Amino acid sequence: PFLAISDALKQLSLDLLCPNDLSWGRHGSRYFYDGSERDDKNLIDSFPSLSASVNNSCHNGEDETVTTYSKSVGDFSRSVMQKHLQHTVRRSPLIGPGTERNWVLRGIFPVLEAFLDSCENESSLSDSKRQMIKARQINNEYVIKQSILEFLSLVCESQSRPLILFLDDLQWADKPSLEMLQFLLTDKNLANIMVICAFRSNEVKVSHPFHDVMVQVKDSRLNDQDGSLSVHGMDLYNLTPDAISRFIGDCISKEPEEVADLKNVVYQKTMGNIFYAMQSMEELVRKNALYYDVMCFDWRWSLGKVALPNFLSDDIVEMIKGKVEELPFEMQRLLVVMSFIPNSLELRMLQMLMSEEGFSMDSAELLSLLIKARNEGMVLFSVENETFNLSHDRIRQACREFIIGDDRDDLLIRISYVLRNVGQSPQTEWCLYVAVDHLNTIPPEKMDLGDLAKLNFDSSQIAKSRAANVKENELLREGMRCLESSDIIWNEYDFTLEYYKAVIVSEYSLGNLGHAMVAIEKVLEHAKTQNDKFIAYMYRMLCNCDQSRDYNDATEEGLRIMKMLGYGIPSSPNKVDMMKEEMLLNVSLRSRDFSFLINLPIKDQPILELIDHWSGLAVCCSREKEVQVATWRAIRHSIDHGIDRHLPSLLASLGVVYKKQGKLKKSYALGKVAVLMAERFCDHKELNANARFRAYAGLMGQIESFEKCADCLLQCANDFELAGKFELSFLSHMGYFYSYFASGLPLNSLLESKFLAVEDFSRRTNKISLSVTFQMQRQFACNLRKVTKFPTELNGEAFHEREMLETLDDNIKVQTLRDSSSHRLQLAYIFGDEECMLSMLGILASYPFTDALAPRLHNRLCFVGLGSFSMGRTRNDDSLMELGETCLLYFKKLAKLGSLNAIPVHAMLLAVKSPNRDTFENAIECCMQSSATHLKALVNERYGLFLLENDDQPLAKKYLARACALYYEWGANGKSMAMKGDYNFLHMINRKSSFSGRNRNTFATGERLGPDITKGDGGSQYRRRSRMSLPSIRKSFVRKN
């Protein structure tokens, strides 16, 4: 996988270590010697390892490889360049030392190791830590692409001049490399680089993968500003007849007019293709149609216009075959062997391959043979890579045609034998891919199919570890074909069972549900025990659910499977069942709380994996009682046998059920336990992130600050992304942004860049439908940050509500309408749009007061309550007041538990419900002690408006000024400007001086803005309590209630 990109990165790393302008100045080309340099000694001298081989220099029994650059310039430039780039990489939060993407790049692209400087040497790591790092290696393509993008960006950033990356022969590039190329070229932040992509247009049709890449890149770049100038297409046509005349004349030292006959023949056969023209000239020389007259010292041809074309074949491959036939037999065999290996080959590997063919050669003899092949234009030398390859694909095609039938099969078997022995290290694992691809083409009767099935399986696991999931699936299918035709199927029971399990997981992960079901049925038919059938049962449940989207049926099937495995759970348990299960749980707990589970011994419990998957399906069809019973039993099972990596997620799910039942304290406690227990399974990144996501998104935000939850959810999103679980990553990002809004963090350009990054992430992962919520949230932030004509409408640069709702399915439309109405209600309350407020309240009143995402529910109920009390009092509407009371009760319960998020909202709701100086002063006190800037601004503005209604204009102006400054601090510039438009006196206040310094209750004039400027008990109470810390206020609130 990533073969073409790997070659490009290898060459790039060599260029960075040995810049072109500082070394290798003597030779015209640093990379390949194609026959133009005829001094073989100079060529050997420029190839350090070959020079060592010829001179028979030995070190520890092996040929000494000396990497020698110019001592005065080369070593210095390499050191400076490497250290400069290392310093740049070290500062990267994405691929810097210690990050997991750093280890990803080291594992997938070892050629970059020199630049991925790590703070700790891998050889010095303890065995346990090394095993943990190995277990945590990431295996999804998006993360690999993102890591390479970051590395390439850092390379471009560290260079004083633009980087030019030239990629040739992209018509043959592997699919992962093309996907990587598309990822890089469609990124709008990659700068200081020019990428030249060369390909043969006659081989890239509409159906070719590279054609799709070109279309996507052009479409992406044309959407940019000045995008029409960033992508250029250039057609490089074959040479004209006049150019061919000059080429032939230059070859034989004649004027173009003198070679008209030759030109006509060569052009007619080659149509101006320069490679074909070169081969045609050599063909004429070999057949003595074109010869050098030693008497006249001149090139001559003696045949006429009619006979001359007969000496040239219409097929260029036939010409090359004719040339190869005249070469020595050992050179023919060398070229044939090389033609069946697509990669560049080192000298030692060629020795082993030729030895298997019966040609025992030392390094010097083989090098001499390669030089002769080079002089014939058949082989290219790569100096920096110290490797060899055929110089053209037509030469490869011609050499392959030299051997057919049984001889070809026997040759492939011999080549594969050598490659299998060599491909045991990460640097040469490509050998296994080549070997298995060759062996899969050989007729079954010539192969040990059982052995080939095992080779396919081993290669598939390597592909899986390199995030090549499609290649893994291809190898598993080829191996399955061999396995089913072999005599080891189900005779070697453990291997067969393991193979089928790998097939089931691979097919399901790629969405090939039909193929997965075939493998599942085979396992269910032949497996001996219920434990062996476990994976098949579980994935049959998941496949059936994905095919039918019937969560109820899937839940029932899961119950049947658990019963079959001796873990029966009652369907639709009644009150007696629930009491019985709870009693059994309490007996197992022995009056201990759930936190004692954290320190239990770890042991794999497959049944918990099934319950974890099943509970996710059961929650979707609102079967919380079954989930509750199943999790209780899972806890009892863990107490008896040990905890499994799936238990933290189950505890978090149980906490969500408790939350729906109103048991907020229990649900919060379970969330804390789930998070702490998940830390014991940090090597299982996906499951660890899943437990933390469920806890922080649905449980922890009830008590802990949303600001803390936001940071944790962002880390979960990153972990899901690393694990390749993109939908869960989007959900985590969604929870992050809702927590961000709920905590009143700044609405700045950095937030907008995060939204754009997530939207781009959704586009790159083909999850466009999931970006709707982020576009809506970005538009909400834009309406607050910028001055717009209709600030309460979600129609702008990021989102168009009406158009978007018309394109959505019914279920998604209902959820999107809820979220958009919630955002619009918040905007209406902030901007004072009563008509919009009433309209949004009418929509939201029909939705249940529950939500899996705690910050989203918090935002919705906060502004539903504020809007209901405000409009209920204004319109004397009892139904709105009742709606507000429901919201007030929700926040009152959380405030009693000491919720940092609920206390200021509860105080605000009381102030808006019963507006007076005392309630507003208490609300201001609670809000000012919190970090929610938007709530501070709102309560100050509402108090200012209240004071205006009661003719206390001097004090009202000060609170309105504070609100305006707080809105500006929040980033709601649109609201701040709207207030300045409504109140002229705000133009007289310097926003920086009006709300700065340590005491944010004091203006620059030194006047107090708090209730202490008024008379009465309210002011003295505020002065007395303003010195209390937030935990003290929280304890005081709990005592009062």
Side-chain angles (χ1 to χ4, degrees):
F2 304 110
L3 179 61
I5 292 296
S6 295
D7 290 343
L9 290 174
K10 186 173 184 179
Q11 191 59 62
L12 175 61
S13 65
L14 291 167
D15 290 345
L16 293 172
L17 293 174
C18 183
N20 190 31
D21 56 337
L22 295 179
S23 59
W24 294 100
R26 185 169 63 87
H27 297 287
S29 171
R30 294 173 49 224
Y31 309 131
F32 295 111
Y33 292 85
D34 56 4
S36 57
E37 175 62 70
R38 294 296 178 178
D39 188 344
D40 295 338
K41 187 177 185 306
N42 288 339
L43 176 59
I44 295 174
D45 291 341
S46 68
F47 210 140
S49 65
L50 299 186
S51 177
S53 299
V54 171
N55 295 328
N56 293 321
S57 300
C58 294
H59 181 67
N60 294 332
E62 297 181 357
D63 290 345
E64 183 179 10
T65 301
V66 184
T67 307
T68 307
Y69 297 104
S70 170
K71 293 298 181 183
S72 58
V73 180
D75 290 343
F76 173 75
S77 66
R78 177 176 62 176
S79 176
V80 171
M81 188 69 67
Q82 183 174 348
K83 288 182 178 179
H84 180 51
L85 185 54
Q86 279 183 343
H87 179 69
T88 306
V89 171
R90 194 178 293 117
R91 291 184 286 117
S92 170
L94 202 64
I95 62 171
T99 61
E100 297 194 348
R101 285 177 173 83
N102 185 290
W103 290 102
V104 169
L105 289 178
R106 288 169 180 266
I108 306 296
F109 304 105
V111 294
L112 302 181
E113 183 116 9
F115 307 102
L116 299 173
D117 180 45
S118 179
C119 295
E120 49 190 359
N121 188 350
E122 188 177 4
S123 61
S124 65
L125 293 175
S126 65
D127 291 339
S128 59
K129 190 168 185 179
R130 189 181 298 111
Q131 290 174 2
M132 185 189 73
I133 290 172
K134 183 178 180 181
R136 294 175 66 182
Q137 286 201 344
I138 310 305
N139 302 321
N140 86 77
E141 292 187 13
Y142 179 80
V143 171
I144 297 173
K145 295 173 186 175
Q146 190 184 49
S147 303
I148 286 296
L149 174 62
E150 175 73 2
F151 176 77
L152 200 58
S153 299
L154 295 177
V155 171
C156 297
E157 177 187 330
S158 65
Q159 302 300 305
S160 59
R161 293 170 295 182
L163 174 68
I164 299 178
L165 190 63
F166 177 76
L167 304 173
D168 198 7
D169 289 328
L170 285 174
Q171 71 275 6
W172 299 324
D174 54 294
K175 187 176 180 181
S177 291
L178 291 179
E179 292 174 352
M180 173 81 77
L181 183 63
Q182 179 178 327
F183 186 89
L184 297 175
L185 297 184
T186 54
D187 186 86
K188 300 174 183 178
N189 298 317
L190 187 61
N192 202 34
I193 185 174
M194 180 171 78
V195 182
I196 303 174
C197 303
F199 63 98
R200 296 179 187 174
S201 56
N202 62 321
E203 296 186 25
V204 177
K205 307 299 182 184
V206 177
S207 59
H208 195 282
F210 184 64
H211 181 270
D212 295 335
V213 172
M214 290 190 294
V215 171
Q216 294 293 334
V217 171
K218 288 178 181 177
D219 291 345
S220 172
R221 292 295 178 180
L222 287 175
N223 291 332
D224 297 345
Q225 186 177 4
D226 297 331
S228 57
L229 302 177
S230 64
V231 178
H232 294 278
M234 182 184 297
D235 291 322
L236 303 180
Y237 298 103
N238 289 336
L239 299 182
T240 63
D242 289 341
I244 291 293
S245 293
R246 294 197 297 274
F247 165 70
I248 295 175
D250 183 64
C251 288
I252 60 177
S253 302
K254 289 186 177 291
E255 294 298 324
E257 295 80 8
E258 300 179 71
V259 295
D261 294 343
L262 276 177
K263 179 264 295 183
N264 292 334
V265 172
V266 172
Y267 189 81
Q268 180 184 358
K269 294 290 185 179
T270 66
M271 299 305 295
N273 185 300
I274 184 60
F275 176 74
Y276 294 177
M278 293 168 61
Q279 296 298 322
S280 297
M281 294 292 289
E282 292 186 2
E283 181 78 358
L284 291 174
V285 172
R286 281 197 306 274
K287 294 183 176 181
N288 288 323
L290 175 65
Y291 60 95
Y292 186 74
D293 191 335
V294 295
M295 300 296 296
C296 301
F297 303 103
D298 193 14
W299 284 93
R300 296 182 181 275
W301 56 98
S302 58
L303 299 174
K305 296 181 181 180
V306 177
L308 192 58
N310 296 330
F311 282 83
L312 292 179
S313 171
D314 292 328
D315 186 356
I316 184 63
V317 175
E318 292 298 323
M319 292 186 192
I320 298 173
K321 287 176 66 176
K323 178 178 180 179
V324 174
E325 286 174 349
E326 296 182 3
L327 298 175
F329 179 69
E330 61 270 16
M331 188 181 298
Q332 291 183 26
R333 181 57 65 168
L334 174 65
L335 296 175
V336 169
V337 169
M338 293 179 68
S339 70
F340 284 99
I341 302 176
N343 300 63
S344 298
L345 296 168
E346 296 178 351
L347 186 68
R348 185 181 298 278
M349 187 176 293
L350 280 172
Q351 276 185 277
M352 297 171 65
L353 290 167
M354 290 300 289
S355 177
E356 190 67 22
E357 295 300 303
F359 297 91
S360 297
M361 301 180 182
D362 58 24
S363 299
E365 291 174 333
L366 182 57
L367 177 60
S368 176
L369 189 63
L370 286 165
I371 290 173
K372 292 177 182 177
R374 185 285 314 262
N375 292 339
E376 294 291 341
M378 296 292 182
V379 173
L380 293 177
F381 288 4
S382 172
V383 174
E384 278 110 342
N385 298 339
E386 301 186 12
T387 55
F388 310 83
N389 210 337
L390 297 180
S391 57
H392 201 274
D393 65 295
R394 297 304 183 203
I395 296 176
R396 185 180 304 277
Q397 181 181 349
C399 291
R400 285 191 174 191
E401 292 182 7
F402 266 87
I403 185 167
I404 58 175
D406 293 339
D407 292 338
R408 173 188 172 278
D409 296 338
D410 295 339
L411 174 64
L412 292 181
I413 291 174
R414 293 194 298 272
I415 291 175
S416 300
Y417 174 78
V418 174
L419 295 179
R420 288 180 66 177
N421 291 333
V422 173
Q424 302 300 322
S425 66
Q427 290 75 20
T428 58
E429 65 185 22
W430 62 266
C431 296
L432 286 180
Y433 289 115
V434 176
V436 75
D437 285 342
H438 283 329
L439 294 177
N440 285 334
T441 64
I442 295 175
E445 59 272 13
K446 295 184 178 182
M447 293 298 303
D448 180 345
L449 295 180
D451 180 66
L452 184 53
K454 293 178 180 178
L455 178 61
N456 275 282
F457 181 76
D458 293 341
S459 301
S460 72
Q461 298 310 296
I462 296 175
K464 181 180 179 180
S465 70
R466 295 294 181 261
N469 298 325
V470 175
K471 182 65 176 178
E472 175 206 5
N473 187 256
E474 292 175 358
L475 292 169
L476 285 173
R477 288 190 179 185
E478 286 290 343
M480 181 59 69
R481 175 180 59 82
C482 299
L483 182 63
E484 291 177 344
S485 301
S486 71
D487 56 359
I488 70 168
I489 186 168
W490 298 115
N491 289 324
E492 293 190 15
Y493 180 80
D494 291 339
F495 171 73
T496 306
L497 185 64
E498 185 181 5
Y499 201 109
Y500 271 105
K501 288 180 179 179
V503 170
I504 291 170
V505 174
S506 174
E507 298 289 3
Y508 178 79
S509 64
L510 293 178
N512 303 323
L513 303 183
H515 289 89
M517 287 299 293
V518 170
I520 287 169
E521 295 304 324
K522 291 287 187 181
V523 172
L524 294 179
E525 179 183 353
H526 293 94
K528 298 176 181 178
T529 66
Q530 294 291 5
N531 287 337
D532 292 344
K533 298 178 181 180
F534 173 79
I535 291 292
Y537 282 134
M538 184 173 67
Y539 276 92
R540 185 176 68 177
M541 175 187 71
L542 297 174
C543 287
N544 288 336
C545 182
D546 287 353
Q547 287 176 332
S548 65
R549 290 294 173 184
D550 191 329
Y551 294 100
N552 238 334
D553 282 353
T555 302
E556 289 294 334
E557 183 178 2
L559 291 174
R560 289 193 296 270
I561 294 171
M562 284 187 277
K563 183 177 180 180
M564 195 184 309
L565 297 173
Y567 205 82
I569 294 173
S571 179
S572 303
N574 54 33
K575 188 175 181 179
V576 175
D577 294 329
M578 298 297 292
M579 291 177 62
K580 178 181 176 182
E581 293 292 338
E582 188 171 16
M583 181 185 68
L584 292 172
L585 175 66
N586 291 331
V587 169
S588 296
L589 289 173
R590 300 177 193 171
S591 301
R592 298 169 292 189
D593 58 27
F594 289 113
S595 61
F596 99 96
L597 297 171
I598 298 171
N599 297 318
L600 290 176
I602 296 175
K603 185 178 180 181
D604 283 342
Q605 306 289 343
I607 189 65
L608 296 191
E609 181 180 1
L610 173 62
I611 295 175
D612 193 17
H613 285 295
W614 171 85
S615 63
L617 304 177
V619 168
C620 292
C621 53
S622 302
R623 299 181 67 167
E624 285 84 3
K625 287 186 178 181
E626 286 97 325
V627 173
Q628 194 170 351
V629 172
T631 308
W632 283 347
R633 292 196 178 184
I635 293 172
R636 288 163 46 202
H637 186 87
S638 299
I639 293 173
D640 294 336
H641 301 92
I643 60 176
D644 179 83
R645 61 186 182 275
H646 293 275
L647 185 60
S649 298
L650 286 170
L651 293 177
S653 298
L654 181 60
V656 173
V657 173
Y658 280 151
K659 176 186 170 184
K660 288 185 178 180
Q661 296 172 352
K663 301 175 182 178
L664 303 181
K665 190 173 182 179
K666 262 190 172 182
S667 67
Y668 173 67
L670 275 171
K672 289 178 66 176
V673 173
V675 170
L676 293 173
M677 187 182 293
E679 293 303 315
R680 295 190 65 187
F681 302 99
C682 58
D683 52 332
H684 297 278
K685 182 163 293 295
E686 178 190 344
L687 295 173
N688 177 282
N690 195 23
R692 288 184 289 116
F693 165 69
R694 293 184 188 182
Y696 281 107
L699 306 175
M700 308 297 283
Q702 298 176 108
I703 307 298
E704 298 182 4
S705 70
F706 282 128
E707 186 172 356
K708 177 182 178 182
C709 293
D711 293 337
C712 295
L713 288 170
L714 189 61
Q715 182 60 47
C716 289
N718 183 57
D719 290 344
F720 281 131
E721 182 183 321
L722 288 169
K725 301 299 179 181
F726 299 133
E727 292 191 10
L728 290 174
S729 180
F730 282 116
L731 287 175
S732 299
H733 275 115
M734 194 183 301
Y736 165 76
F737 287 120
Y738 277 117
S739 298
Y740 193 101
F741 289 140
S743 58
L745 293 171
L747 305 175
N748 50 28
S749 57
L750 179 61
L751 175 65
E752 185 169 3
S753 68
K754 289 181 179 179
F755 277 123
L756 292 172
V758 175
E759 291 174 28
D760 183 61
F761 176 34
S762 67
R763 176 178 59 82
R764 291 180 179 278
T765 53
N766 296 319
K767 305 288 185 183
I768 306 297
S769 60
L770 297 176
S771 65
V772 172
T773 299
F774 304 111
Q775 293 171 354
M776 181 198 310
Q777 291 174 322
R778 180 157 67 94
Q779 188 60 55
F780 167 76
C782 286
N783 286 12
L784 289 169
R785 292 181 60 223
K786 302 176 182 179
V787 178
T788 59
K789 189 175 182 180
F790 303 104
T792 60
E793 294 183 4
L794 294 178
N795 293 311
E797 59 187 77
F799 185 76
H800 295 273
E801 182 181 22
R802 181 174 300 176
E803 296 177 7
M804 186 61 68
L805 289 175
E806 291 175 353
T807 63
L808 300 176
D809 296 336
D810 291 340
N811 291 334
I812 301 177
K813 183 176 182 179
V814 170
Q815 298 174 10
T816 305
L817 180 61
R818 176 200 62 193
D819 296 340
S820 65
S821 300
S822 178
H823 284 307
R824 291 189 63 191
L825 175 61
Q826 185 172 350
L827 292 170
Y829 191 81
I830 292 172
F831 286 98
D833 187 339
E834 294 187 354
E835 292 300 323
C836 180
M837 213 182 306
L838 283 173
S839 176
M840 296 303 104
L841 286 171
I843 295 173
L844 293 172
S846 60
Y847 285 91
F849 283 11
T850 58
D851 198 321
L853 293 178
R856 182 168 61 187
L857 181 64
H858 177 94
N859 281 332
R860 175 156 59 96
L861 296 190
C862 173
F863 286 94
V864 167
L866 293 172
S868 297
F869 282 138
S870 295
M871 299 311 300
R873 289 180 58 258
T874 303
R875 304 296 176 97
N876 293 320
D877 190 326
D878 291 338
S879 62
L880 287 177
M881 294 299 291
E882 184 179 349
L883 183 62
E885 288 288 350
T886 306
C887 298
L888 180 64
L889 179 62
Y890 172 81
F891 288 105
K892 182 178 180 180
K893 288 181 179 178
L894 289 176
K896 282 184 177 180
L897 296 175
S899 169
L900 299 177
N901 305 308
I903 289 175
V905 176
H906 180 259
M908 278 189 65
L909 289 172
L910 289 175
V912 176
K913 175 188 176 184
S914 304
N916 57 64
R917 289 179 183 267
D918 288 341
T919 55
F920 269 117
E921 288 164 3
N922 183 60
I924 287 175
E925 175 188 354
C926 293
C927 290
M928 295 302 287
Q929 291 291 341
S930 75
S931 60
T933 309
H934 65 312
L935 296 182
K936 299 176 190 177
L938 278 171
V939 72
N940 278 278
E941 182 188 12
R942 291 292 162 172
Y943 191 28
L945 294 175
F946 170 78
L947 293 171
L948 280 179
E949 291 176 0
N950 290 274
D951 296 326
D952 192 348
Q953 290 194 9
L955 191 57
K957 287 183 178 180
K958 293 182 180 180
Y959 276 98
L960 290 173
R962 179 195 284 177
C964 184
L966 283 164
Y967 278 126
Y968 182 82
E969 181 184 350
W970 181 31
N973 301 332
K975 172 62 178 178
S976 180
M977 295 301 295
M979 289 187 69
K980 289 184 177 182
D982 293 337
Y983 309 106
N984 291 328
F985 73 91
L986 293 176
H987 291 281
M988 308 293 294
I989 299 174
N990 185 329
R991 64 172 176 255
K992 291 186 177 180
S993 63
S994 64
F995 197 73
S996 61
R998 292 184 179 180
N999 188 354
R1000 295 199 172 196
N1001 293 325
T1002 307
F1003 277 113
T1005 59
E1007 296 177 295
R1008 293 287 293 177
L1009 287 178
D1012 61 330
I1013 64 173
T1014 66
K1015 296 180 181 180
D1017 295 338
S1020 61
Q1021 182 186 14
Y1022 178 79
R1023 284 194 302 274
R1024 182 171 64 254
R1025 295 179 59 193
S1026 63
R1027 293 187 295 273
M1028 298 173 65
S1029 64
L1030 184 58
S1032 301
I1033 292 177
R1034 181 167 60 185
K1035 292 176 181 177
S1036 173
F1037 184 92
V1038 174
R1039 285 198 299 271
K1040 284 170 59 180
N1041 289 275

